[in-house]
Amino acid sequence: MAGMDDAVPIAELLDERRHLLHVAYRMLGSSRAAESVIDETYRRWFALPERARARIAAPRSWLAGVAGSICLTWPALPEPDRAGAVAHLVRRTASRGAGSRGAEPQGAEPAALARHSLRARHARPTSVRQHDTVARAVHLACVTHDEGLLTSLLAADATAFFDGGGKVRTLINPVHGNTHVARTLLTLLARHPRTTLYPGPVNGRTGLVVRYGPHVAAVISLDVAGPHVVQVWGTLNPDKLRTWNRPSPRT
């Protein structure tokens, strides 16, 4: 089961992906090919058994080695075959796409999770104002790195789901329990000079928006029931964040 020791700060995740893209681009000279190579690299990472991943002491080095080995075979392909390989990798990656809301946890359907979330809301109705108050308190706990406050704002059986779309090395399995969820969030949102966190509208309610430099790196929505957060949904999938990172139209 995924736990706090598996969480990685957002800044580290993004630096890792950008490093891999840089390596692939330098070897291939094509941004499109580099993206496909890195998608395949992460596919191989997530295809490993959980115990095998746990034994890799330096994941970034392992990923760089895999990316390099894929790149070495790339130029050997004739141009039509390279184009076909790009399309093939894109199809393989797309076929494994996560659910639209959060990471697709093992052994549970996204629809079932959504129903559970709705049942929790209906069982303990929360007004927009109360949701906003709880969400802003969660933001304060995260920016001040107050584990005790954050834990108190989470229901004892709170669950967190993270969707990286197979394109960043985020958690695969859901995290259960207020203590583990709090520690995972604080690790993910660890302080970094280029990382900022602020409350903002997510899925129609107040959530958390994480920026790394000028770009949105993650959005976190919160399901609130009564005075507590019962579920956390973190989206780190760069494909799903494209709408967040589109330039604002000039007026």
Side-chain angles (χ1 to χ4, degrees):
M1 182 174 70
M4 59 183 174
D5 294 335
D6 299 318
V8 179
I10 283 178
E12 184 177 330
L13 292 175
L14 296 184
D15 282 344
E16 174 184 277
R17 180 173 173 83
R18 289 176 182 178
H19 170 70
L20 296 174
L21 285 169
H22 180 67
V23 168
Y25 179 78
R26 288 188 63 182
M27 295 182 72
L28 300 176
S30 164
S31 296
R32 184 184 178 191
E35 287 277 358
S36 297
V37 166
I38 300 314
D39 287 351
E40 173 66 8
T41 299
Y42 278 111
R43 187 199 68 78
R44 295 186 187 185
W45 167 265
F46 287 114
L48 291 173
E50 190 169 352
R51 290 184 179 179
R53 287 196 305 271
R55 288 195 296 267
I56 297 174
R60 179 166 168 160
S61 296
W62 185 93
L63 290 164
V66 171
S69 67
I70 297 172
C71 288
L72 287 175
T73 64
W74 204 269
L77 294 172
E79 187 63 34
D81 291 344
R82 263 185 282 167
V86 170
H88 178 63
L89 289 178
V90 169
R91 285 195 300 271
R92 287 173 69 176
T93 302
S95 68
R96 300 179 305 103
S100 62
R101 183 76 186 274
E104 196 165 304
Q106 296 178 357
E109 293 294 332
L113 294 169
R115 286 194 296 271
H116 174 77
S117 175
L118 289 172
R119 283 198 299 270
R121 283 183 176 178
H122 291 316
R124 290 169 285 178
T126 304
S127 66
V128 173
R129 182 175 180 179
Q130 187 173 17
H131 180 106
D132 184 74
T133 298
V134 173
R136 290 181 182 279
V138 169
H139 169 259
L140 175 63
C142 290
V143 296
T144 58
H145 213 78
D146 190 332
E147 183 180 326
L149 174 59
L150 184 55
T151 301
S152 72
L153 294 167
L154 298 164
D157 60 349
T159 304
F161 308 93
F162 300 96
D163 173 15
K167 299 195 173 189
V168 290
R169 190 168 46 85
T170 191
L171 297 172
I172 300 175
N173 298 321
V175 180
H176 302 287
N178 57 353
T179 300
H180 286 167
V181 171
R183 292 179 181 175
T184 298
L185 280 175
L186 292 179
T187 298
L188 187 72
L189 303 173
R191 294 189 184 98
H192 185 277
R194 299 189 63 196
T195 301
T196 55
L197 174 70
Y198 60 94
V202 180
N203 294 334
R205 290 282 182 108
T206 302
L208 304 178
V209 180
V210 188
R211 286 188 178 273
Y212 184 69
H215 301 291
V216 173
V219 293
I220 299 172
S221 62
L222 307 169
D223 284 346
V224 178
H228 295 110
V229 175
V230 293
Q231 290 185 343
V232 177
W233 306 81
T235 300
L236 296 88
N237 183 343
D239 291 343
K240 294 181 181 179
L241 296 173
R242 285 176 181 168
T243 56
W244 288 81
N245 287 305
R246 286 177 184 165
S248 301
R250 294 182 179 181
T251 55

